[in-house]
Amino acid sequence: MNGSSESNIMASINCVTFNHGAYIRQALDSFLMQKTDFEFEILVHDDASTDGTGDILREYAEKYPDKVKPLIQTENQYSQGIDNISGAFNFPRVKGKYIFMCDGDDYWTTPDKMQKQVDYMEAHPDCTLCIHSAKIELVGKALTEKQMRPYRRNQVITPEEIVDKPSGYAMSSMAFPSRLVKELPDYYVDCPVGDTPLQMMAAEKGYGYYMDEPMSAYRVGVAGSWTMEGKNGNYAKKQKIYWERMKKVYEEFNAATEGRLKEAADSAAKRTYYHTMVNTRQFKEIVNPEYTRYYKELTPRTRFFIQAEYRAPGAYELLRKIFLGKKR
């Protein structure tokens, strides 16, 4: 639909960007291509990019003033200690009944994505999180056949499953009622990542629904992304800090929900800890029988290389060199 007024906006797209000059046009175009029977707005927060991202946003805002509403910072907010940019700057601007998430280096792939998700949530008011699968795109390469596909069919997701799941949900797939973020709990504010507490908030208030259709793309390997930045510097220290912060988040979640989802939250916390042990190759913990469940959730390839590195480090180094050689 063309034209909009703030009074009848049904959906708000929340887009956070920083130095995504090479990708932001594709993201914006994928939002603008949406075919809907309702009005929507595009809220973009640029965290003082230095690569021209802000100029691109100004260009789109001038061309689509009723749709594209950028907030362009002159000072980087993340470096000031604000982890969850969406909650601090975009959620307060939301006019829509529903919020759709997509970072500036990801994009949507189908023009009916928003309509399908809004239709489901409108028909099921107790649904507080609607997601779908997502294609994976490696930077500099085409879409791969690999997907972020947590389930293998359309299905309802229980609150327990939202909190305690072996594989993540693509942020670019997430849609939820904006009422969830009218008041942000401590576990959202204190969380080092933005999507996990949103999922926990959805689990606290309702249930989820998954559409087994890849309607967005998740781009892997973008310079400056949270994942890539986490690998720089003292990785082990960063992983330790991350775990300590996440442990606090799950404790705060249990307090906020009065322990209603404690079993799921405790398991999710234990999985987070285990993954930091895997990431930093703490083998005594990796093979600890206490974490067998989470070990089995790892891919066969990951388990193979872990066992090789743990039991035969010399052979592992040889395998790694061969593998890297093939990748090149």
Side-chain angles (χ1 to χ4, degrees):
M1 296 181 67
N2 294 319
S4 68
S5 67
E6 291 189 354
S7 61
N8 65 353
I9 291 174
M10 175 66 84
S12 301
I13 300 170
N14 172 64
C15 181
V16 172
T17 186
F18 174 67
N19 283 352
H20 291 156
Y23 314 111
I24 191 64
R25 288 182 187 278
Q26 188 173 20
L28 292 171
D29 289 342
S30 77
F31 305 153
L32 291 164
M33 78 174 180
Q34 294 299 305
K35 305 297 183 184
T36 65
D37 62 13
F38 54 81
E39 305 291 356
F40 63 89
E41 63 180 355
I42 303 168
L43 306 178
V44 191
H45 179 278
D46 175 56
D47 204 10
S49 292
T50 58
D51 69 343
T53 297
D55 292 334
I56 296 171
L57 293 178
R58 292 184 187 94
E59 173 193 327
Y60 273 75
E62 185 176 346
K63 190 173 181 180
Y64 305 98
D66 60 329
K67 281 280 194 288
V68 181
K69 302 170 184 178
L71 175 56
I72 302 171
Q73 299 285 359
T74 56
E75 183 177 10
N76 185 270
Q77 300 299 301
Y78 184 80
S79 65
Q80 303 300 307
I82 301 178
D83 291 314
N84 289 320
I85 296 294
S86 297
F89 299 105
N90 266 359
F91 291 163
R93 301 197 289 147
V94 163
K95 298 293 191 298
K97 182 178 179 181
Y98 301 103
I99 296 175
F100 283 74
M101 305 288 287
C102 190
D103 283 343
D105 54 346
D106 297 330
Y107 60 96
W108 296 345
T109 58
T110 61
D112 57 354
K113 167 192 153 62
M114 290 184 76
Q115 187 70 57
K116 286 182 175 180
Q117 290 180 279
V118 165
D119 284 349
Y120 184 87
M121 290 186 290
E122 281 288 276
H124 303 85
D126 291 334
C127 176
T128 48
L129 180 67
C130 186
I131 62 169
H132 52 74
S133 65
K135 291 281 191 179
I136 293 177
E137 179 173 331
L138 303 176
V139 169
K141 299 181 181 179
L143 283 167
T144 68
E145 290 302 312
K146 189 177 180 183
Q147 293 184 38
M148 288 189 73
R149 191 183 179 200
Y151 311 103
R152 292 298 181 265
R153 59 181 175 83
N154 292 353
Q155 67 176 71
V156 166
I157 318 168
T158 66
E160 290 79 8
E161 288 175 299
I162 294 174
V163 173
D164 183 25
K165 53 189 177 296
S167 59
Y169 302 153
M171 183 183 282
S172 59
S173 79
M174 289 172 54
F176 53 86
S178 60
R179 59 183 169 84
L180 290 186
V181 300
K182 294 303 181 186
E183 292 185 20
L184 298 172
D186 289 342
Y187 64 81
Y188 176 91
V189 177
D190 292 338
C191 192
V193 289
D195 53 343
T196 298
L198 287 173
Q199 293 163 22
M200 295 161 75
M201 290 160 66
E204 181 182 351
K205 302 295 185 181
Y207 69 89
Y209 187 74
Y210 169 75
M211 298 177 176
D212 193 31
E213 182 180 351
M215 294 189 283
S216 66
Y218 171 62
R219 192 175 265 116
V220 178
V222 175
S225 67
W226 186 88
T227 303
M228 295 298 286
E229 284 298 305
K231 295 178 180 179
N232 295 332
N234 190 331
Y235 182 60
K237 182 180 179 181
K238 287 184 176 181
Q239 285 286 289
K240 184 175 185 293
I241 293 171
Y242 172 71
W243 156 240
E244 289 171 348
R245 293 187 64 184
M246 290 304 298
K247 181 174 182 288
K248 180 182 179 183
V249 164
Y250 283 110
E251 289 170 350
E252 291 174 338
F253 175 73
N254 281 333
T257 56
E258 298 181 334
R260 182 169 58 88
L261 297 169
K262 187 176 188 305
E263 184 177 344
D266 288 351
S267 175
K270 189 177 286 189
R271 180 184 292 105
T272 301
Y273 169 76
Y274 184 73
H275 284 174
T276 65
M277 294 296 99
V278 170
N279 292 341
T280 55
R281 290 300 192 263
Q282 303 298 311
F283 290 109
K284 286 187 178 179
E285 289 289 77
I286 292 172
V287 300
N288 187 333
E290 180 181 351
Y291 305 115
T292 298
R293 171 188 172 187
Y294 310 114
Y295 175 78
K296 289 181 177 179
E297 291 173 356
L298 301 174
T299 65
R301 177 179 170 276
T302 299
R303 293 199 301 266
F304 171 78
F305 279 104
I306 284 173
Q307 289 295 335
E309 186 176 1
Y310 176 51
R311 301 184 186 284
Y316 165 78
E317 278 301 318
L318 181 60
L319 283 169
R320 195 172 73 89
K321 288 177 182 177
I322 293 172
F323 178 75
L324 289 175
K326 287 182 178 179
K327 290 286 282 187
R328 292 193 188 97

